[in-house]
Amino acid sequence: MRSAVGGPQRAHTRTSCRRGATQKHSALSDPPSRHSDILAYDARTGKFLWKFHIIPRPGEFGHQTWENDSWKWTGDVSSWAPMSADPELGLVYIPTNPPTIDYYGGFHPGDNLFGTSVIALDV
């Protein structure tokens, strides 16, 4: 899997958020899935601060909404459009696309929290 940090970033006072980009993939014949996460850096120093898993991992909030371990083999949920920030509220808003094979939900059972959503993260 090729991986890089890509896409537009959104600066919020001292924190810069950007999506981690992965090679796009749409076939279930190529597990494991490609997960794209939101990465935050200190805007002044470039120091890594935190990572938000758009597809929650075991033990994280929302993981149970990815039934039958579909989080392992369903991917491509990423920030597909520019993020926006509200410095007054301390939030970054992240629009996400649907999970792989979005036209047939049987490949990703469950409610798939954070897929096809707008996520507000406290930065």
Side-chain angles (χ1 to χ4, degrees):
M1 175 177 73
R2 292 182 302 175
S3 180
V5 174
Q9 62 183 356
R10 179 58 57 202
H12 172 275
T13 57
R14 293 187 206 147
T15 304
S16 175
C17 293
R18 60 186 307 140
R19 67 183 158 98
T22 58
Q23 179 180 339
K24 194 74 173 155
H25 124 321
S26 61
L28 291 176
S29 61
D30 187 23
S33 66
R34 309 304 197 240
H35 293 205
S36 183
D37 303 318
I38 302 301
L39 311 173
Y41 298 89
D42 183 295
R44 293 181 188 164
T45 67
K47 179 183 174 189
F48 174 75
L49 299 174
W50 50 262
K51 179 191 299 188
F52 176 78
H53 296 128
I54 295 177
I55 297 178
R57 307 309 195 271
E60 294 179 346
F61 178 78
H63 175 73
Q64 71 282 1
T65 68
W66 292 79
E67 296 175 3
N68 299 335
D69 286 334
S70 63
W71 70 276
K72 290 180 181 178
W73 43 269
T74 302
D76 293 342
V77 179
S78 63
S79 175
W80 60 271
M83 300 176 215
S84 63
D86 185 331
E88 209 169 288
L89 294 177
L91 298 173
V92 171
Y93 299 96
I94 302 154
T96 64
N97 57 305
T100 304
I101 317 292
D102 57 354
Y103 45 82
Y104 175 60
F107 289 127
H108 48 85
D111 291 334
N112 307 135
L113 188 63
F114 304 133
T116 318
S117 302
V118 176
I119 304 167
L121 294 180
D122 182 355
V123 295

